[in-house]
Amino acid sequence: MVLEVRGITKRFGGIQALTDVTFQVGKGEVFGLIGPNGAGKTTMFNIITSMFPPTMGEVIFMGKKLTGLKPHEVTEAGVCRTFQNIRLFPEMTVLENVTVGQHCRTKSGVWSSVFRTGAQKQEEKSIREKALELLRLVGLEELQDTFADNLAYGQQRRLEIARALASDPKLLLLDEPAAGMNESETKDLFDLIQNIKKLGITVLLIEHDMPLVMRICDRLIVLNFGKEIAQGTPEEIKNNPEVIEAYLGREEEEDLA
Amino acid sequence: MLAELINPYYLQVLSFILINIILGVSIYITLSTGQLSLGHAGFMGIGAYASAILTLDYHMPLVVGIVVGAILAGIVGLCIGIPTLRLQGVYLAIATLGFGEVIRVLFINLEGLTKGAVGISSIPHIGRELVKGLQDFGFKASMIGLKNNQLISLSVFLLLLIITLLIIAFFIRQTNSRVGRAFAAIKMDERAAEAMGVNITYYKVLAFAQGAMVAGFAGALFAHVTAYISPADFSYHRAVEILIFAIFGGSEVIWGPIFGAAFLTAMPEILREVNEYRYMIYGVLLVVMMAFRPQGLIDTQMIYKLKQRRKKKGVS
């Protein structure tokens, strides 16, 4: 198992955001995390990446406990994420954004940077090469010198994925990557996730675009009001009456009849 | 010919411009991780007093005094930087402002060490020490057709120029590196930087301590250039003045505060009549800048455009 989420509960004051959620993600899987708005999906991401601690439960990643680590230590361990409300570094160029993603895999400090040691120069060169390679993967190579702020929405989403990939994650967390994308952009995203999967990276995906989720995910968990209501393959989920109820509501006619 | 051109007064003004540029760089470093400090006058004072006391009372060489002064300011910066890590924006400004005042009051009240409000005078002068050193090697001002006080001013200026250039080069290189990118990422979005694997605690404290150390260094140089310091030199006015360098010139790129420091130090010298209204002008500048160009005169976009233009020229 790459990721084991064990009995996660999160309370914010009086609000119960997550209640005893447990799931496992195997190596190389694309695992979907779906549910209506406010179901606690992003809260789950924030807990996995240690942005804040859970009230109860723990997160184990490749045998290592993530709960209690600092966010940058989680990234170092091999878990990286994107954000639902895009959080790029706006006044950096596209290329620079991706180089920041490599921060925890590189080690030049103040002195080697100031004295431009051989090792530092070598490292800068490889950082640049790797960043360009990732930009090629997400199709933003041409725009490397543009400020991130000036990119179109779909391009910003892809840049966030490239930046996250730069940290060499074993597990990639994508928070609504298709939000606001048109049909052709969504198709490109589908191909991109396929390619990421081919690189041997496990993907945990929050997404509202159901056709995309059903096509790309190997397994899914469905949350509603912070509780698991179903878990299984896309086929099983599609036919689960509780899931249908959560998304579409109860069929009133039946009640009347 | 050369002798007529070298006017000790102008050289003194130029030397103060260089010290203020170093102060501008010190606030830039701290600001480059998004931390707004009003404590830099305090750090400057620590460097100045430490070096003055070490050289005067303990007869240490100037170099030792200046280096220890800078390091001490850096250590105090560490001690202030760690507990104030959680403070953001205006709250950090208030906390560091309080720190600066505490330091100033300490200078006034630790009379045994600092001579209180009267200040410390006849601090060893960098220029005189340098010229004395040159004389020991058998070099005299008259040998290049200068008067002794001209050579003193000239040597101070040249030494400060070299130091300033080295400091600027140091931080330009740091900015264009993994460390500088981490600083910039923290400034733009702390949560995102953290999620990308940047240890924000380390880099924020590093930037704060570096800023404090450079300010302390500038303070130590200041003490040995003016030869007289008092607590009033490191008051709230000084903290605001340093901040204005960055606000006027811009804090996004290192050239901003450098330009700000140079321009604002030279201005009252060139326009003699305005000197009296200096703080009034600072106030007006603050309001105007915030309203029309909050990022300062020199910003990232401007440097970017200049670079693009140079690139184009290189191609054609």
Side-chain angles (χ1 to χ4, degrees):
Chain A
M1 285 295 129
V2 170
L3 181 74
E4 290 174 62
V5 172
R6 294 182 187 158
I8 292 290
T9 295
K10 180 70 188 178
R11 270 189 293 271
F12 293 106
I15 297 161
Q16 186 86 17
L18 288 169
T19 311
D20 196 22
V21 178
T22 299
F23 62 89
Q24 277 125 29
V25 184
K27 186 164 174 14
E29 262 188 317
V30 176
F31 190 91
L33 188 58
I34 64 168
N37 285 327
K41 305 180 297 291
T42 299
T43 305
M44 179 55 82
F45 266 27
N46 286 334
I47 286 170
I48 293 172
T49 54
S50 251
M51 286 281 180
F52 45 67
T55 311
M56 262 188 288
E58 55 182 9
V59 178
I60 311 287
F61 171 71
M62 305 199 6
K64 187 180 177 175
K65 194 173 157 189
L66 294 186
T67 317
L69 292 183
K70 290 196 168 159
H72 75 266
E73 292 168 330
V74 172
T75 310
E76 250 171 68
V79 180
C80 203
R81 68 174 294 178
T82 65
F83 294 89
Q84 185 181 352
N85 48 341
I86 305 177
R87 298 184 85 155
L88 289 165
F89 305 119
E91 285 140 47
M92 283 189 201
T93 63
V94 167
L95 188 75
E96 282 167 343
N97 264 279
V98 184
T99 58
V100 173
Q102 296 179 58
H103 185 89
C104 64
R105 299 288 171 243
T106 46
K107 49 182 188 296
S108 296
V110 174
W111 296 110
S112 59
S113 298
V114 168
F115 292 108
R116 293 278 190 264
T117 58
Q120 192 265 354
K121 278 188 197 153
Q122 198 58 44
E123 192 177 89
E124 281 294 306
K125 204 175 144 218
S126 82
I127 287 174
R128 205 187 141 78
E129 275 164 13
K130 189 177 163 193
L132 283 171
E133 194 182 301
L134 286 167
L135 287 179
R136 229 168 283 143
L137 180 75
V138 299
L140 291 174
E141 202 193 356
E142 304 280 301
L143 296 165
Q144 52 170 294
D145 289 326
T146 314
F147 282 105
D149 221 10
N150 298 337
L151 290 185
Y153 192 77
Q155 293 170 331
Q156 293 197 358
R157 289 236 172 257
R158 275 185 285 152
L159 178 55
E160 259 213 327
I161 296 175
R163 186 181 67 176
L165 286 173
S167 72
D168 268 337
K170 306 241 169 22
L171 173 66
L172 180 65
L173 279 61
L174 300 176
D175 198 344
E176 291 195 30
M181 282 190 173
N182 61 31
E183 219 166 294
S184 86
E185 285 174 326
T186 308
K187 198 198 155 293
D188 290 344
L189 179 71
F190 176 83
D191 294 339
L192 178 58
I193 298 175
Q194 293 285 16
N195 284 332
I196 292 169
K197 195 180 170 182
K198 272 183 212 149
L199 293 170
I201 298 167
T202 310
V203 178
L204 188 55
L205 175 72
I206 294 179
E207 190 46 68
H208 280 301
D209 185 326
M210 281 309 133
L212 176 73
V213 169
M214 292 302 168
R215 271 199 306 155
I216 207 159
C217 291
D218 299 306
R219 288 191 307 129
L220 298 166
I221 183 169
V222 189
L223 299 180
N224 196 17
F225 298 112
K227 291 192 185 104
E228 175 191 327
I229 55 173
Q231 211 174 132
T233 62
E235 270 319 300
E236 291 164 6
I237 297 295
K238 253 187 245 178
N239 301 317
N240 185 310
E242 269 192 81
V243 176
I244 296 168
E245 190 187 307
Y247 271 90
L248 303 173
R250 200 193 306 256
E251 287 191 36
E252 295 288 334
E253 287 142 290
E254 256 181 20
D255 288 353
L256 287 172
Chain B
M1 180 64 200
L2 181 71
E4 280 142 37
L5 278 175
I6 297 169
N7 177 329
Y9 172 72
Y10 289 130
L11 284 172
Q12 170 119 2
V13 172
L14 286 173
S15 299
F16 282 130
I17 288 178
L18 291 173
I19 290 175
N20 281 343
I21 285 176
I22 300 176
L23 287 169
V25 171
S26 81
I27 196 87
Y28 163 78
I29 303 158
T30 315
L31 278 170
S32 67
T33 54
Q35 299 181 93
L36 177 58
S37 163
L38 281 171
H40 274 52
F43 295 124
M44 184 191 174
I46 290 171
Y49 269 92
S51 190
I53 292 166
L54 281 174
T55 49
L56 208 58
D57 296 351
Y58 297 92
H59 309 290
M60 297 268 190
L62 277 189
V63 185
V64 176
I66 293 171
V67 169
V68 172
I71 290 173
L72 188 67
I75 292 170
V76 176
L78 263 182
C79 300
I80 300 296
I82 293 169
T84 54
L85 259 178
R86 288 166 181 276
L87 300 181
Q88 303 257 324
V90 75
Y91 300 101
L92 180 62
I94 293 168
T96 48
L97 180 66
F99 157 78
E101 282 302 289
V102 168
I103 293 295
R104 193 178 63 87
V105 171
L106 279 178
F107 289 154
I108 295 176
N109 289 305
L110 290 175
E111 284 184 14
L113 205 59
T114 63
K115 304 202 171 59
V118 182
I120 302 179
S121 52
S122 57
I123 301 167
H125 188 268
I126 294 184
R128 272 180 222 121
E129 297 286 319
L130 267 176
V131 170
K132 217 186 283 168
L134 287 174
Q135 274 167 353
D136 291 343
F137 278 104
F139 182 87
K140 286 201 183 83
S142 53
M143 289 163 73
I144 49 170
L146 292 179
K147 292 193 193 93
N148 212 29
N149 67 339
Q150 283 179 316
L151 183 64
I152 289 172
S153 308
L154 186 65
S155 62
V156 170
F157 170 71
L158 289 177
L159 182 72
L160 286 178
L161 185 66
I162 292 167
I163 290 173
T164 308
L165 290 176
L166 284 177
I167 289 177
I168 293 173
F170 185 105
F171 287 106
I172 286 178
R173 283 191 159 190
Q174 180 177 293
T175 302
N176 296 321
S177 76
R178 177 172 171 269
V179 178
R181 289 194 295 266
F183 280 7
I186 292 170
K187 182 184 185 180
M188 289 177 207
D189 190 333
E190 213 173 296
R191 293 317 289 277
E194 207 175 16
M196 290 309 121
V198 177
N199 183 348
I200 56 169
T201 306
Y202 173 76
Y203 285 103
K204 282 177 83 173
V205 173
L206 176 70
F208 203 86
Q210 276 187 336
M213 194 164 154
V214 173
F217 187 66
L221 291 172
F222 175 79
H224 295 290
V225 168
T226 57
Y228 166 73
I229 54 172
S230 75
D233 289 326
F234 312 108
S235 66
Y236 165 75
H237 282 304
R238 176 77 69 177
V240 172
E241 190 180 20
I242 299 172
L243 190 63
I244 298 263
F245 295 155
I247 289 172
F248 176 71
S251 60
E252 289 179 2
V253 289
I254 196 167
W255 302 112
I258 291 173
F259 171 76
F263 183 84
L264 293 175
T265 317
M267 181 190 67
E269 302 298 336
I270 296 164
L271 302 167
R272 257 316 161 70
E273 310 79 57
V274 303
N275 202 2
E276 274 178 64
Y277 307 103
R278 187 154 165 189
Y279 288 107
M280 212 169 94
I281 293 173
Y282 283 172
V284 172
L285 263 182
L286 253 181
V287 175
V288 172
M289 290 308 290
M290 285 300 119
F292 295 107
R293 205 171 159 85
Q295 76 274 35
L297 282 180
I298 302 174
D299 66 352
T300 321
Q301 298 279 348
M302 188 169 160
I303 297 290
Y304 181 75
K305 273 180 200 149
L306 280 175
K307 271 188 191 156
Q308 292 299 98
R309 197 174 297 167
R310 203 182 300 164
K311 237 186 228 170
K312 257 183 220 157
K313 260 187 198 161
V315 170
S316 66

